[in-house]
Every structure is written in structure tokens, then in C-alpha cells.
Amino acid sequence: MDGLSLLKDLTENRDDARADQMEAYMRDQFVFLGIPAEKRRKLMRPYFKEARKEKHIDWTFVDNYWEQPYRECQYIVCDYLSAEQARLVPADIDKLKTLVLKKAWWDTCDSLDKVIGKLALDYPELNEILLEWSQDEKIWLRRIAIDHQRHRKERTDTQLLETILKNNFGSSEFFINKAIGWILRDYSKTDPQWVTQFIEQHKAELHPLSIREGYKYLKSKNIKR
């Protein structure tokens, strides 16, 4: 993919005032061009269209853009991998892991967990790796393990989910406890009884934040507790 031309388009559309706001929101950890998601995706659309003709994932582009100083470039990689999801194979999990851990923060982590989650759904043998990640010392791998089944609905592997959640009981890390709450909240839309029973059974081990988030959609439901 012609990453240089795309980067030129991006820099020509920078908005310094918006960039300041974005950087402040992300606690000044990254440099932004100030391009909102809708405009960014409009700029990259023709490049992605050309990239689809290549019939393979351009990992050189992925690596180069992940190293770019602007946070929008990492977002573009996440969008690119999502668009090329069908071409990912289990052997790519190590490359995805590298991306998770480089310039790591919740924004790219929560984009890559969708890509990794879909890959694991297509190739269940990757569940063993996600189980390992759920106990890793690096919080971003654990967060992906926790949330990679979001939006699976009836295809959620509840046994895998339960094991991963239990592996993260007792954590004081905000991003871990928030992730636990999110996956419980998401799955409560599909199986509110399972989520209710899980929370009630493990209230002593779950962080209050996880319980609060997990019950968010259950408050309006007539669930027997």
C-alpha cells in the first residue's frame, strides 16, 4: 500500500486545535494530527480499495505505520487489519501481539482485541494462547484475553470466559477490572441469567467496578437474583 501518499494526505489535513484536545484526552501520551475518525476513514478509503487488490496483508506497511509518530497511523493499521481480517491466519498471532505491546494503550488494545477475537473464533486452537495471555504480567495482553469475545453473543465460549475472568480476580488494575465489567455487561445482553449468577457467585472476588459495569444492563431486567 502507498503509505507515503496516505501520510501526505493525513498531514495536509491536520487540525492542530483538535490535536491538542485529542492529546489531552489521551493524557498526552501520543502525538495527534487532529483528524477525527470519520475524516480519517474517508482519506484512507481509496488506499484500502487498492490494497484489497494485493490479496495479501502488507506487513511492511503495518510495521512502518505502527512506528509513525502520529496516533492516527496506529488507528489506520487497526482499521486495515480489520478490513483484511479474512486474510489473517493463526501464524499472525505473534505479529498482532507485537502490535498490542508497542505504543500500548486502551485505544489500540480495544481495536486489536476485535481483530484477535475474530481470528480466535475462526481458529479455536488460539484459545490456548489467549488463556496464557490472561495470566501474563502485561496488562494489555490480559485485557485482550478478557474482552476478545465481546459481541460474540450466542457464540460465546462461557467456559473459556469464566476461566479467563477467574485468572484476573484480585487485580487492582483499573484497565483489567473495567475490561471484566465490559465483557460481563456485553454478554448480559445475550444471557442475563449467566452473568447474574456469575456475579452473585463471585462477588467476593470481583472488584466493585467490575460488578457495577457488569450489572449495568441488568438493572432494567427482571432477573431473579
Side-chain angles (χ1 to χ4, degrees):
M1 189 156 70
D2 188 356
L4 289 176
S5 294
L6 175 55
L7 186 60
K8 182 174 182 292
D9 287 346
L10 291 169
T11 54
E12 288 178 351
N13 283 271
R14 71 185 304 156
D15 182 331
D16 290 336
R18 189 184 293 271
D20 289 341
Q21 296 172 2
M22 290 178 165
E23 289 168 10
Y25 179 70
M26 295 299 289
R27 302 182 185 179
D28 294 313
Q29 294 198 73
F30 307 102
V31 176
F32 282 82
L33 288 167
I35 302 174
E38 184 177 354
K39 187 171 186 178
R40 183 184 77 240
R41 288 173 179 143
K42 183 179 180 180
L43 289 170
M44 69 191 191
R45 193 172 297 131
Y47 294 94
F48 280 26
K49 185 177 180 180
E50 285 299 310
R52 279 194 293 272
K53 298 176 183 178
E54 297 174 1
K55 301 188 184 303
H56 68 275
I57 294 180
D58 187 345
W59 287 105
T60 299
F61 163 77
V62 168
D63 292 339
N64 287 342
Y65 255 57
W66 208 261
E67 294 297 332
Q68 290 296 326
Y70 306 115
R71 195 56 167 169
E72 286 89 348
C73 291
Q74 285 91 64
Y75 296 162
I76 285 173
V77 169
C78 292
D79 288 336
Y80 172 72
L81 291 172
S82 180
E84 298 292 312
Q85 178 80 59
R87 292 173 180 161
L88 288 168
V89 296
D92 293 326
I93 193 69
D94 286 339
K95 297 186 182 76
L96 295 171
K97 179 181 179 180
T98 297
L99 297 181
V100 172
L101 296 176
K102 270 189 177 182
K103 303 186 179 182
W105 197 241
W106 64 263
D107 52 349
T108 50
C109 179
D110 290 356
S111 291
L112 291 172
D113 79 353
K114 297 174 187 176
V115 174
I116 292 168
K118 179 61 169 62
L119 184 62
L121 183 61
D122 293 339
Y123 301 97
E125 61 266 31
L126 293 177
N127 288 345
E128 288 301 317
I129 291 177
L130 287 161
L131 279 170
E132 291 175 8
W133 288 11
S134 74
Q135 300 179 83
D136 198 278
E137 63 180 12
K138 299 176 179 65
I139 65 168
W140 303 114
L141 293 179
R142 287 163 55 202
R143 184 176 170 99
I144 283 184
I146 293 166
D147 276 350
H148 81 277
Q149 292 198 78
R150 279 188 305 150
H151 313 308
R152 280 194 188 176
K153 299 181 180 180
E154 292 81 5
R155 295 182 293 178
T156 298
D157 182 337
T158 53
Q159 184 176 353
L160 176 65
L161 175 59
E162 182 172 357
T163 300
I164 287 174
L165 293 182
K166 287 181 177 179
N167 284 345
N168 285 276
F169 282 171
S171 174
S172 60
E173 172 55 56
F174 170 83
F175 289 110
I176 296 302
N177 292 317
K178 187 77 168 179
I180 291 173
W182 277 355
I183 189 61
L184 290 172
R185 181 180 67 187
D186 180 73
Y187 190 53
S188 74
K189 293 182 286 185
T190 300
D191 193 339
Q193 197 68 52
W194 188 94
V195 172
T196 300
Q197 290 175 354
F198 181 85
I199 293 176
E200 291 298 318
Q201 184 179 355
H202 299 291
K203 266 190 172 178
E205 296 100 336
L206 285 164
H207 192 277
L209 173 61
S210 303
I211 295 172
R212 185 168 64 250
E213 289 289 336
Y215 268 138
K216 189 169 185 178
Y217 294 153
L218 295 170
K219 291 177 181 178
S220 61
K221 295 180 183 290
N222 185 23
I223 303 299
K224 188 175 182 179
R225 295 170 55 180

